[in-house]
């Protein structure tokens, strides 16, 4: 192939590249006159080649951009390759964002012309603006949340932290961003924060913990979430809550000590007073025996002393119940066995009262608790039914029991005795020394003991009663 043919082929390849390039290309002289322009530029301007070639670019530009393009053109003719981004709307065209390059054409050591190559980056710019807008929104959210937040990458370097981190940890983000967290907080290496964050990264699972930051004397509640980007850490100052909790624990300990002191004092009073009381009661009985005629005064004194002795006995019983609540080891027991022992001990009273007892209690029904307490509960319920039976009809007692997961064991003690006014009794039913039958003797201790025993085992009791109809007690034992 001849040299001229190669030159023609080379020019054809250049012309094809020039005309078919997707970028906007034109060629200008020193005066800015356009000598050539490709089809992409003509399409954007919506012009023919004859309407563009031989003219400057200025008529097609907004007036405010003419000086900018002229300045860049002169810089290129000075031998400098120029590149800049510009938002422009050519006359008759849609607005565009262009990345413009002005490339000088050197011939024999002189710049003979300038190629202007403009790439349409409108969509790319819009995407960047959207990303920046979303980043600003996200930053606003991060700054507005009440929790402190920082982000670290897989190299443990800070990539973001909000104002709350600066405030709580006394750092400045300009001095921290890009730095390794364990260099900034070297005193925490191998500490609680270090171990928890490494555990989150190693397992890929979030961690939630509370730890003390000694440098600022803060208790922090921390949540750390691993992701593909690294670790997101949220934390808040819980120092006041921890101080309140510690104060509550100290108060509880103080109350416990005060209660122990009060209980000890009550024991001393009840035991130390009972000895002289017993002596006084004995002396009153001796005097009553020695006087020739019965003395009403001595009889009243003896009755008063006996009543006071009963009060002290009840006090000792109640205190001993409370004292043993945390001392007696619970055990698993069959309800039928404990109830059978109670019925055996009360068989004479049951026969004497002519009572009929109906049992519906599964033989394998068990509870976990204190056997002595359960015996006392059954004993007091049955003796109450016997004591407060109706004189108008034979006594009927129904005892049923079922297991009701997840509550536990449901027991029902129901009789057709004399009953009492439940509405009138109100909240006094299980209180100490509260009685609801005026015609039958009693001290009002039994129901109190039942409730105390049940609560010590985590259970509860409810009562329903109607005068002349009977009474039903419902027990729930976990």
């Amino acid at each position: 192939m001849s040299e001229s043919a190669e030159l023609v082929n080379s020019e054809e390849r250049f012309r094809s590249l020039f005309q078919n390039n997707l970028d906007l290309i034109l060629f200008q002289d020193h005066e800015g006159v356009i000598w050539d322009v490709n089809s992409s530029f003509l399409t954007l301007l919506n012009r023919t080649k004859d309407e563009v070639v031989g003219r400057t670019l200025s008529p097609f530009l907004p007036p405010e951009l003419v000086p900018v393009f002229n300045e860049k053109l002169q810089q290129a003719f000075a031998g400098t390759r120029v590149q800049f981004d510009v938002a422009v709307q050519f006359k008759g065209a849609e607005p565009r964002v262009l990345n413009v390059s002005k490339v000088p054409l050197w011939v024999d050591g002189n710049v003979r012309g300038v190629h202007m190559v403009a790439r349409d980056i409108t969509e790319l710019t819009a995407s960047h603006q959207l990303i920046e807008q979303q980043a600003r929104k996200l930053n606003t959210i991060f700054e507005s949340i009440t929790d402190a937040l920082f982000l670290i990458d897989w190299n443990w370097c800070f990539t973001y932290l909000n104002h709350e981190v600066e405030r709580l940890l006394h750092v400045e983000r300009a001095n921290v961003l890009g730095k390794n967290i364990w260099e900034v907080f070297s005193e925490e290496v191998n500490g609680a924060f270090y171990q928890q964050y490494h555990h989150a990264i190693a397992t890929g699972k979030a961690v939630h913990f509370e730890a003390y930051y000694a440098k600022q004397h803060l208790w922090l509640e921390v949540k750390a979430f691993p992701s593909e980007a690294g670790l997101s850490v949220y934390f808040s100052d819980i120092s006041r809550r921890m101080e309140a909790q510690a104060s509550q624990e100290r108060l509880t300990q103080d109350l416990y000590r005060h209660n122990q002191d009060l209980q000890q004092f009550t024991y001393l009073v009840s035991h130390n007073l009972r000895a002289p009381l017993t002596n006084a009661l004995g002396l009153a009985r001796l005097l009553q025996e020695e006087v020739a005629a019965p003395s009403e005064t001595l009889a009243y004194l003896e009755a008063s002393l006996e009543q006071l002795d009963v009060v002290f006995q009840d006090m000792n019983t109640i205190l001993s119940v409370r004292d043993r609540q945390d001392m007696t080891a619970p055990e698993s027991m069959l309800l039928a066995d404990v109830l059978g022992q109670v019925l055996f001990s009360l068989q004479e009273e049951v026969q004497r009262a002519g009572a009929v007892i109906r049992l519906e209690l599964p033989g394998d029904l068990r509870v976990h608790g204190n056997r002595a307490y359960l015996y006392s509960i059954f004993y007091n319920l049955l003796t109450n039914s016997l004591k407060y039976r109706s004189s108008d009809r034979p006594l009927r007692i129904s005892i049923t029991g079922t297991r009701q997961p997840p509550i536990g064991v449901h027991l029902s003690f129901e009789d057709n005795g004399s009953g009492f006014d439940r509405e009138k009794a109100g909240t006094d039913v299980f209180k100490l020394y509260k009685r609801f039958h005026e015609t039958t003797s009693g001290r009002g201790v039994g129901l109190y003991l039942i409730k105390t025993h049940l609560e010590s085992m985590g259970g509860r009791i409810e009562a329903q009663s109607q005068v002349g109809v009977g009474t039903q007690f419902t027990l729930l034992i976990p």
Side-chain angles (χ1 to χ4, degrees), residues 151-155 157 159 201 226-232:
L151 310 178
I152 50 180
D153 60 22
W154 287 98
N155 294 319
C157 293
T159 59
I201 291 293
S227 67
E228 294 180 357
L231 196 65
S232 303

Side-chain angles (χ1 to χ4, degrees), residues 357-377:
I357 299 176
R358 181 174 64 89
L359 296 177
E360 293 185 10
L361 201 65
D364 61 347
L365 190 59
R366 289 179 173 272
V367 296
H368 194 72
N370 185 293
R371 180 178 291 270
Y373 289 173
L374 195 61
Y375 183 96
S376 175
I377 291 167

Side-chain angles (χ1 to χ4, degrees), residues 52-63:
V52 176
V53 173
R55 306 177 66 183
T56 66
L57 191 60
S58 299
F60 306 105
L61 288 170

